[in-house]
């Protein structure tokens, strides 16, 4: 546990160092080009702005978080279901894949405004835009994960007498988990951007994206950078949460043993031995022959 | 053979693939608790034969009987193991061993107990909760074999199970399989390219011809059990090996044995 704490401390220190580095370069640029505060405020000033205007920022931030998280979850769910459906049926795949590519080739910024005309200036438009951005990496990764399941493993399941549904739940579905989380991590970083663009065209209720628009229009550089830092933090937090859930959901990727579940406490080797070795005299010859390596 | 009805009967099986003949009227009888090795050149249809017996491949003609019952084209009656271990990365050693139950009737506490007992008995007692990636190649193949043993069947088809292992590990695994086989009442069909392996393990070595697959010869291996390393250098073993190699490579010794 001590080693774990030390490793965590080192990682946190490295992360802090990375942030410090960004702030350092930021300050350096201001110093080198002699930028005035109304053009580019220092990071210190920007962070201070967040404190100063917290009562303004807070409700806006909650609104943007809501759009980001809901849109992300909707996009992820749609992406996952589509991926599974496309893997299950070649026909669905041939029908849906061109539509998928089209949905990504259409510039979201371009259809954002028409979407707002269609769906109104409320939450719906923003959720659609975020989901549209998030679902694609999820579909592609889930599809990839399902395609990579070894045919021989599925044949083995058949030889064992498995029904298709059982094999699906025991072999194919869990195989999507690792790629699913790769897709979700990409989606998590897109989601905030999508929410901001959504707010630019569908501004009700106000969020940080709306605030960015009005602050930029009034040349309020401090306000813009304060909001930008908050948006960045939302994105990073969502990414970290997704990563953490992924670590818990796929323990085999970094652990060599399973967390000892309650079930394994009840495994009684002696009782189980009866089926196999019930008739054997104790200490029979295989004892000396089987050589653990 | 132990007399009585055969455990597995491959009866006049022919398999065509897109017009090409893979198996040509092949018949094979495997007795109860018999260990039969099948050797033959690549493309002689050994794996096709396994696919037919396991039910994955329906033969163009002929049938497969298990305990006298027709199981042609039906899966779920025999255990099957390949050169690839095909362990499931997110299941532990015990979880992989009980896969058969998980895929058919659902895992019960008893299955886990039996799996744990089996793993402990054969040198994996400390690895019950390990994921496959944390095991060596040899250990993974052991788990794969235990998974096959844990099925509710006593016929095992092993298709070059040790083909991907280094020679040292392979020899260890062969000796280990001998001890498992001698402990348990199972019937084993074993495909291999390795003549030493075929003879060391089996009661009978069946030599197949190149495409289309036919049986060239059926050689009893009367070496006494339990067998150990010394068998490999005994005169009887060397003579049997000479015969099998002769059959495989069509030398005069082959003609004499036929």
């Amino acid at each position: 546990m001590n080693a774990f704490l030390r490793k965590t401390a080192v990682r946190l220190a490295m992360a802090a160092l990375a942030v410090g580095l960004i702030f350092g370069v930021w300050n350096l640029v201001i110093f080198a080009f002699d930028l005035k505060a109304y053009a580019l405020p220092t990071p210190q000033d920007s962070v201070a702005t967040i404190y100063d205007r917290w009562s303004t920022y807070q409700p806006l931030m909650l609104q943007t978080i809501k759009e980001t998280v809901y849109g992300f979850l909707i996009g992820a769910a749609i992406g996952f279901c589509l991926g599974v459906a496309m893997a299950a049926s070649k026909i669905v795949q041939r029908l849906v894949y061109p539509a998928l590519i089209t949905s990504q080739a259409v510039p979201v910024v371009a259809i954002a405004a028409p979407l707002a005309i269609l769906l109104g200036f409320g939450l719906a438009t923003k959720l659609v835009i975020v989901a549209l951005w998030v679902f694609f990496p999820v579909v592609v990764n889930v599809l990839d994960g399902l395609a990579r399941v070894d045919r021989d493993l599925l044949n083995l399941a058949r030889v064992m007498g498995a029904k298709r549904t059982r094999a699906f739940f025991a072999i194919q579905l869990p195989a999507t988990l690792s790629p699913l989380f790769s897709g979700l991590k990409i989606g998590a970083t897109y989601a905030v951007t999508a929410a901001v663009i959504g707010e630019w065209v569908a501004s009700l209720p106000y969020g940080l994206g709306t605030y960015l628009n009005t602050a930029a229009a009034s040349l309020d550089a401090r306000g813009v950078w304060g909001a930008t830092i908050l948006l960045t933090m939302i994105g990073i937090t969502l990414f970290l949460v997704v990563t953490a859930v992924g670590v818990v959901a796929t323990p085999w990727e970094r652990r060599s043993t399973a967390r000892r579940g309650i079930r394994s406490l009840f495994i009684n080797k002696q009782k189980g031995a009866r089926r196999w070795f019930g008739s054997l005299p104790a200490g029979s010859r295989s004892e000396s022959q089987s050589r653990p390596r | 053979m132990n007399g009585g009805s055969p455990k597995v009967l491959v009866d006049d099986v022919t398999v065509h693939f897109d017009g090409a003949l893979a198996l040509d009227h092949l018949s094979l009888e495997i007795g109860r608790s018999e260990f039969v090795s099948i050797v033959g050149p690549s493309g002689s249809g050994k794996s096709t034969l396994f696919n037919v017996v396991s039910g994955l491949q329906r033969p163009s003609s002929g049938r497969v009987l298990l305990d006298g019952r027709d199981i042609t084209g039906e899966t779920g009656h025999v255990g099957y193991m390949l050169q690839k271990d095909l362990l499931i990365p997110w299941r532990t050693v015990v979880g992989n061993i009980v896969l058969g139950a998980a895929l058919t009737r659902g895992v019960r506490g008893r299955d886990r107990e039996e799996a744990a007992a089996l793993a402990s008995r054969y040198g994996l007692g400390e690895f019950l909760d390990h994921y496959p990636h944390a095991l060596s190649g040899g250990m993974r193949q052991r788990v794969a074999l235990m998974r096959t043993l844990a099925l509710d069947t006593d016929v095992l088809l092993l298709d070059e199970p040790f083909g991907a292992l280094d020679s040292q590990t392979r020899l260890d695994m062969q000796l280990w399989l001998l001890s498992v086989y001698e402990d348990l009442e199972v019937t084993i069909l074993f495909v291999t390219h390795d003549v030493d392996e075929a003879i060391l393990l089996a009661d009978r070595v069946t030599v197949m011809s190149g495409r289309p697959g036919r049986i060239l010869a059926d050689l009893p291996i009367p070496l006494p059990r339990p067998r150990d390393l010394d068998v490999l250098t005994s005169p009887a073993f060397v003579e049997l090996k000479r015969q099998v190699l002769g059959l495989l490579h069509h030398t005069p010794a082959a003609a004499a044995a036929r």
Side-chain angles (χ1 to χ4, degrees), chain A residues 152 159 255-256 258 275 291, chain B residues 76 84 114 129 131 133 172:
Chain A
D152 285 330
V159 171
R255 295 174 60 94
S256 54
R275 170 177 167 194
R291 303 187 294 174
Chain B
K84 285 188 273 188
E114 286 173 2
D129 287 329
Y131 291 116
H133 73 82
D172 280 334

Side-chain angles (χ1 to χ4, degrees), chain B residues 21 81 88 103 258:
Chain B
L21 197 57
M81 175 180 168
I88 295 186
L103 286 172
R258 254 182 282 176

Side-chain angles (χ1 to χ4, degrees), chain B residues 29 37 41 47 53 77 123 135 160 165 172 174 181:
Chain B
E29 237 181 84
S37 288
S47 296
V53 176
H77 298 289
L135 305 179
E160 291 196 62
L165 303 175
D172 280 334
Q174 289 163 358
Y181 170 70

Side-chain angles (χ1 to χ4, degrees), chain A residues 38-50:
Chain A
Y38 61 77
L40 179 63
T42 62
Q44 305 84 286
D45 277 349
S46 307
V47 173
T49 312
I50 298 175

Side-chain angles (χ1 to χ4, degrees), chain B residues 229-251:
Chain B
L229 264 182
D230 296 336
V231 171
L232 283 171
T233 45
S234 69
F237 182 92
V238 176
E239 172 55 26
L240 287 164
K241 182 174 173 180
R242 203 180 61 80
Q243 288 183 26
V244 175
L245 284 173
L247 284 161
L248 278 172
H249 300 283
H250 308 291
T251 59

